[in-house]
Amino acid sequence: MRYDNVATRPSDHKMLQLDKDNFDNMTYSDTNVDIHKNKIRRFSNIYDENIAERFRLMQDSVMNTEIPILSKLLAETPFDVGYVSSAERYFEQLSAKYGVIADTVLLNIYLQNMYNKQYLLKHLLFVVGNLPAGRRSNLEIIPLAGVSNPDIEIQDLSVKCFEAWEDKRHLPTLLNLRDSTSVGWFKDYINDVIEELNEE
């Protein structure tokens, strides 16, 4: 026997008639409400946390710990051309571990000791002068400030940074320093560095 009407067809299962209007008004969001709620729950911790504040707190913690250690090494350990000082090795470890935060540590040490603890400043400039090209950009301000220091040795080490870096961008600073110094040997040295940079 053939049944033309589905509603009259005998069956063990009750079939539901689907209304076309229900589909026309349905959106993707209606069918995925639970999925969206799950996503919101899953990522809510990212939105709730202030990432900048967490970074600041971490940086403060690193600086509070590392500034006294590196300052002590810079102030109390020897340094000399051709040798890697213990302060330089320690700074390399900080850089590998903390990246740009290590630069902030060094900058803060310089700022805290800008007009005293001359040995520390000289050692710090020695470390900065030996940095490879990719590590200098955040720390160029140290030798730029160093050329204004009243101590001639700190000025000299600042010029040594520019000489080692071989960067023509520092020529105006060197020209100003050469014209303002009255120390003969220092003026001659700056002239030599300027000539070297102009040959590059």
Side-chain angles (χ1 to χ4, degrees):
M1 181 176 183
R2 183 173 173 274
Y3 295 94
D4 294 323
N5 189 337
V6 172
T8 61
R9 182 182 299 159
S11 174
D12 294 334
H13 302 285
K14 188 173 182 182
M15 296 185 72
L16 296 175
Q17 187 172 4
L18 300 175
D19 188 347
K20 177 180 175 297
D21 293 336
N22 289 337
F23 289 107
D24 290 341
N25 296 325
M26 189 177 286
T27 65
Y28 176 81
S29 297
D30 295 328
T31 62
N32 293 280
V33 171
D34 289 338
I35 293 171
H36 292 307
K37 285 181 180 174
N38 289 340
K39 283 185 179 176
I40 290 168
R41 261 198 309 273
R42 197 166 67 196
F43 296 113
S44 63
N45 61 327
I46 293 174
Y47 300 125
D48 293 341
E49 291 171 1
N50 186 329
I51 294 171
E53 179 64 12
R54 288 187 62 184
F55 179 82
R56 187 190 66 76
L57 290 171
M58 183 188 77
Q59 178 172 276
D60 288 350
S61 173
V62 171
M63 298 217 313
N64 289 337
T65 303
E66 302 299 347
I67 285 176
I69 296 170
L70 188 53
S71 295
K72 187 174 179 65
L73 287 170
L74 288 166
E76 297 179 2
T77 60
F79 67 98
D80 199 5
V81 176
Y83 295 93
V84 178
S85 72
S86 55
E88 193 169 356
R89 280 195 301 273
Y90 192 76
F91 179 68
E92 286 172 2
Q93 292 171 7
L94 289 182
S95 296
K97 187 173 182 181
Y98 298 115
V100 70
I101 295 177
D103 297 347
T104 308
V105 168
L106 209 59
L107 281 168
N108 274 269
I109 292 172
Y110 184 84
L111 292 171
Q112 289 172 10
N113 299 280
M114 198 182 311
Y115 297 111
N116 54 29
K117 298 186 181 175
Q118 303 301 82
Y119 182 87
L120 179 151
L121 293 176
K122 292 167 191 173
H123 195 169
L124 191 151
L125 279 160
F126 176 82
V127 171
V128 171
N130 288 334
L131 289 173
R135 295 285 298 114
R136 297 173 194 154
S137 58
N138 296 326
L139 297 168
E140 287 184 5
I141 192 168
I142 292 176
L144 286 169
V147 297
S148 300
N149 193 290
D151 188 306
I152 190 73
E153 289 184 64
I154 289 175
Q155 291 179 27
D156 180 46
L157 282 163
S158 298
V159 173
K160 281 180 169 51
C161 288
F162 301 139
E163 181 182 21
W165 296 351
E166 300 177 340
D167 190 335
K168 289 186 177 185
R169 290 180 304 122
H170 300 298
L171 278 170
T173 301
L174 290 167
L175 289 165
N176 288 335
L177 183 59
R178 179 199 63 189
D179 296 342
S180 64
T181 188
S182 58
V183 180
W185 67 264
F186 191 41
K187 190 184 286 284
D188 291 341
Y189 169 53
I190 297 169
N191 260 328
D192 291 342
V193 175
I194 289 170
E195 287 176 14
E196 287 173 17
L197 292 180
N198 278 324
E199 289 173 2
E200 294 293 325

